[in-house]
């Protein structure tokens, strides 16, 4: 606690602070019914036993902007380090893993997952983590993992049981940023890191570059280089938003259709909402022919998190951390992608600012006009462009963002921001978790261990970032440290929903987390990054800007 206090508060700036210590009287299973009007004073985070102590330190960053640091709980004597060999979802899989452990000279153990398969049945766990040992320190578990690898059993991971998602006393370290549009005179908006799709930037760097009062990391994105084949892990252009992105009223990336997003319609954050969105993009040629545009500002054939338009394979519904394929695409590329379009086979048409065709070429790549559009086709998409694009003729590209539940267009102005996320946590004050709908279904796909992803990402505790809106319209941004036993255990997705509800949010969604989780206040990073290399560079960020920057 002393480390966090010194790290957070001993720096300059015109801020005021007070500390509130509260004893919690709610367990993790209980959802509080109160809707506090003062998030800083709202007690009873639904984490751990009722007797845990919680300390809150609150300070005003600007009129209408408050930062609250929350410390809760303490390490549990029942938690330990262990080596996880793998996740088994059947008796056959468990026996096979256990046999490998015994062959390596160790005694295996089964630990139940913290929840069932969301597709059912509800009366049994998703599976069992096959493990070796209970150790008081990480170094001992590391040694055993290395010994197992030396005996032919590679791939084991060292984990802390406090992160499994079962009962623990923590501790937890959280940061909350509250923006009250009724009092705030600055602006809340999303910022594309580095200003274009390719490449990434840390949230701290974005905050410094924009002069932000505060910032948090945004939505999901692609990490790594531009791959050419779909597969289980996210593949595509490094920094590409893996879902919808609207910057300054302009659609930058298409939606993972039906997934939730945070919509900020104007400067102060007034009217911010959480909605399920889809995008509809079409191109019309001068001869009247029309075709669906299946992607925006990305590599053709790589549909990150799936759930897009067109004939995606192996499926069209959302699938987190999976890249679907499509051999018949028509992708639009704008200057938001940068000066150079993605390269590859196919057919390409270049349009000027007025939509007039200025160039045709076999193959994809080359320059992107500063105010125009490049249309890139593969398969039947390339055939359509060849048949209908003519030099000097006009082609119009139209895009619409649609509320997926109401079926109505979402108005976009020059001040609208949209950040992708998921899963949806709260709707009208009720917890509405639906991992299957939002793309975290633990189904196996072409050998991909989706069940392990679901357990590790959804059921187990991790660093998290979430955003929500209170009943009176205040915006609540949450970050939670994780993967630091003894400092902060992180949250499961169920716990994230419960925490957002206890902070007064009635509508909320999860944003990108893990190593991406970051909050910056007055140029000072809050919390501890989970990556050993420090703060991770991300694709976008939500920035809170002073009135002078509007």
């Amino acid at each position: 606690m002393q480390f966090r206090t010194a790290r957070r508060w001993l720096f300059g700036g015109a801020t005021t602070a007070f500390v509130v210590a509260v004893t919690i009287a709610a367990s993790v299973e209980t959802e509080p019914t109160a809707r506090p009007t003062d998030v800083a004073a709202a007690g009873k985070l639904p984490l751990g036993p009722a007797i845990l102590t919680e300390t809150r330190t609150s300070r005003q960053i600007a009129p209408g902007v408050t930062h609250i640091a929350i410390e809760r709980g303490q390490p549990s004597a029942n938690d330990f380090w262990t080596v996880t060999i793998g996740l088994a979802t059947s008796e056959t899989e468990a026996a096979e893993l256990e046999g490998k452990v015994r062959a390596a000279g160790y005694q295996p153990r089964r630990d139940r997952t913290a929840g069932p398969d969301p597709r059912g049945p509800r009366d049994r766990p998703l599976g069992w983590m096959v493990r070796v040992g209970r150790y008081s320190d990480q170094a001992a578990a590391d040694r055993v993992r290395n010994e197992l690898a030396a005996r032919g059993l590679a791939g084991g991971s060292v984990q802390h049981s406090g992160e499994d998602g079962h009962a623990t006393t923590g501790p937890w370290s959280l940061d909350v940023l509250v923006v009250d549009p009724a009092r705030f005179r600055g602006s809340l908006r999303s910022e594309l890191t580095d200003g274009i799709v390719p490449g990434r930037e840390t949230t701290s760097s974005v905050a410094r570059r924009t002069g932000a009062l505060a910032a948090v990391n945004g939505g999901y994105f692609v990490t790594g280089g531009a791959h050419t084949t779909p597969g289980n892990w996210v593949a595509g252009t490094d920094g590409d938003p893996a879902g919808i992105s609207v910057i300054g009223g302009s659609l930058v990336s298409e939606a993972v259709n039906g997934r939730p997003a945070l919509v900020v319609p104007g400067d102060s954050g007034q009217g911010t909402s959480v909605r399920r969105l889809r995008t509809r993009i079409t191109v019309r040629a001068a001869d009247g022919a029309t075709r669906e545009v299946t992607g925006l500002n990305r590599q053709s054939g790589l549909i990150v998190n799936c759930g897009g338009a067109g004939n995606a394979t192996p499926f069209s519904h959302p699938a987190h951390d999976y890249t679907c394929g499509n051999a018949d695409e028509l992708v639009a590329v704008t200057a938001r992608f940068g000066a150079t379009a993605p390269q590859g086979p196919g057919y390409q048409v270049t349009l000027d600012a007025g939509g007039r065709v200025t160039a045709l070429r076999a193959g994809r790549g080359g320059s992107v006009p500063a105010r125009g559009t490049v249309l890139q086709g593969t398969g039947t998409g390339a055939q359509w462009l060849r048949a209908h694009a003519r030099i000097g003729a006009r082609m119009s590209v139209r895009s619409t963002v649609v509320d997926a539940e109401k079926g109505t267009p979402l108005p976009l102005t020059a001040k609208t921001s949209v950040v992708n996320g998921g899963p949806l946590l709260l709707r009208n004050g009720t917890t509405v978790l639906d991992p299957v709908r939002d793309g975290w279904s633990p189904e196996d796909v072409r050998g991909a261990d989706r069940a392990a992803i679901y357990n590790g990402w959804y059921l187990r505790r991790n660093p998290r970032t979430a955003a929500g809106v209170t009943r009176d319209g205040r915006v609540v941004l949450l970050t939670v440290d994780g993967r630091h036993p003894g400092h902060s255990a992180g949250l499961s997705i169920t716990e994230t929903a419960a925490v957002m509800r206890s902070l007064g949010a009635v509508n909320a969604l999860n944003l990108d987390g893990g190593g991406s989780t970051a909050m910056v206040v007055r140029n000072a990073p809050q919390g501890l990054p989970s990556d050993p290399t420090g703060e991770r560079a991300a694709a976008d960020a939500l920035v809170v800007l002073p009135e002078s920057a509007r």
Side-chain angles (χ1 to χ4, degrees):
M1 189 73 71
Q2 292 177 347
F3 172 79
R4 180 185 175 106
T5 301
R7 177 171 59 83
R8 288 177 178 276
W9 307 117
L10 297 184
F11 55 86
T15 64
T16 57
F18 62 90
V19 177
V20 181
V22 295
T23 300
I24 304 307
S27 68
V28 71
E29 291 82 9
T30 303
E31 288 189 336
T33 57
R35 286 294 174 267
T37 57
D38 184 354
V39 175
K44 304 180 180 179
L45 280 187
L47 297 173
I51 60 172
L52 294 182
T53 298
E54 181 178 297
T55 301
R56 300 188 179 198
T57 307
S58 179
R59 54 178 173 155
Q60 181 175 287
I61 304 304
V65 182
T66 304
H67 171 229
I68 308 120
I70 306 176
E71 303 282 353
R72 176 171 173 78
Q74 66 271 336
S76 169
N78 296 323
D79 289 334
F80 53 86
W81 290 94
T82 190
V83 180
T84 301
I85 306 304
L87 178 73
T89 57
S90 68
E91 181 66 36
T92 300
E93 290 175 343
E96 181 180 351
L97 287 173
E98 289 170 338
K100 292 179 180 179
V101 172
R102 292 189 183 96
Y106 283 84
Q107 182 62 37
R109 180 186 75 255
R110 297 185 191 184
D111 288 347
R112 294 164 62 98
T113 60
D117 187 324
R119 302 163 301 173
R122 305 292 296 178
D123 60 349
R124 66 177 295 272
L126 169 72
W128 303 267
M129 293 167 283
V130 176
R131 289 170 156 173
V132 173
R134 292 181 172 87
Y135 310 103
S136 60
D137 60 85
Q138 183 177 357
D142 284 337
R143 286 194 295 270
V144 171
R145 178 192 56 189
N146 294 338
E147 290 171 2
L148 286 165
R151 298 181 185 185
L153 190 55
S157 60
V158 171
Q159 295 180 326
H160 193 263
S161 66
E163 298 170 0
D164 283 350
H166 297 295
T168 186
T169 59
W172 291 275
S173 183
L174 309 88
D175 287 280
V176 183
L177 198 65
V178 182
V179 179
D180 184 355
R183 299 177 55 229
F184 183 46
R185 294 296 174 263
S187 62
L188 173 66
R189 74 179 191 219
S190 60
E191 181 79 13
L192 194 65
T193 56
D194 288 332
I196 58 175
V197 168
R200 293 180 284 135
E201 186 179 4
T202 64
T203 303
S204 293
S205 175
V206 174
R208 289 192 299 270
R209 174 168 58 80
T210 59
L213 296 168
V216 299
N217 68 287
Y220 300 109
F221 59 93
V222 176
T223 59
H227 303 283
T228 57
T229 57
N232 180 47
W233 300 107
V234 173
T237 301
D238 187 55
D240 178 17
I244 191 169
S245 174
V246 174
I247 306 290
S250 297
L251 183 64
V252 174
S253 176
E254 79 272 20
V256 175
N257 283 332
R259 258 194 175 182
L262 185 73
V263 179
V264 184
D267 272 335
S268 66
Q270 185 172 6
T272 296
S273 61
V274 177
R275 305 192 189 197
R276 292 188 179 276
L277 300 176
R278 59 184 176 88
T279 45
R280 184 169 60 237
I281 311 173
T282 59
V283 58
R284 182 182 180 88
D287 61 6
T290 62
R291 183 178 172 97
E292 180 180 47
V293 175
T294 51
L296 179 62
N297 291 322
R298 63 166 170 81
Q299 179 71 246
S300 297
L302 298 175
I303 304 148
V304 179
N305 288 337
C306 305
N311 300 318
T313 56
F315 39 67
S316 59
H317 60 75
H320 193 70
D321 274 357
Y322 195 95
T323 301
C324 284
N326 187 350
D328 301 302
E329 288 225 81
L330 204 165
V331 174
V333 181
T334 71
R336 282 290 190 179
F337 191 85
T340 304
Q343 296 182 349
Y347 194 76
Q348 180 171 294
V349 175
T350 301
L351 311 178
D352 64 15
R356 191 178 300 276
V357 177
T358 61
L360 306 172
R361 61 171 286 180
R364 296 177 291 118
S367 62
V368 179
R371 297 179 58 200
T373 304
V374 171
L375 298 175
Q376 298 190 322
T378 57
T380 59
Q383 294 172 15
W384 189 91
L385 287 175
R386 285 191 180 96
H388 300 286
R390 298 291 181 268
I391 292 290
R394 294 187 183 276
M395 304 183 79
S396 59
V397 181
R398 298 181 180 275
S399 62
T400 306
V401 179
V402 179
D403 186 310
E405 294 176 312
K406 296 180 179 179
T408 55
L410 178 73
L412 300 182
T413 72
K415 296 180 179 180
T416 302
S417 294
V418 179
V419 177
N420 79 77
L424 185 66
L425 303 174
L426 304 173
R427 172 61 57 83
N428 298 325
T430 301
T431 301
V432 289
L433 294 173
D434 191 340
V436 175
R437 178 178 183 179
D438 283 338
W440 278 269
S441 176
E443 63 193 324
D444 283 343
V445 181
R446 294 184 179 178
D449 194 357
R450 302 284 299 161
I453 294 173
Y454 177 72
N455 179 58
W457 192 97
Y458 199 101
L459 298 179
R460 300 188 80 244
R461 296 186 175 101
N462 290 282
R464 304 286 183 186
T465 303
V469 184
T470 66
R471 199 171 298 280
D472 60 2
R474 286 168 299 123
V475 181
V476 179
L477 303 174
L478 168 72
T479 59
V480 184
D481 288 358
R483 302 173 188 165
H484 286 292
H487 164 67
S488 186
L491 298 177
S492 69
I493 286 295
T494 302
E495 289 171 334
T496 304
V499 167
M500 288 297 289
R501 191 172 189 270
S502 73
L503 293 172
V506 293
N507 296 298
L509 80 162
N510 189 70
L511 298 177
D512 192 17
S516 299
T517 289
M519 180 182 289
V520 179
V521 178
R522 290 197 177 277
N523 287 328
Q526 307 301 302
L528 299 177
S530 65
D531 285 359
T533 54
E535 186 180 349
R536 180 184 295 175
D540 62 353
L542 277 162
V543 294
V544 180
L545 300 172
E547 185 175 7
S548 60
R550 289 182 61 169

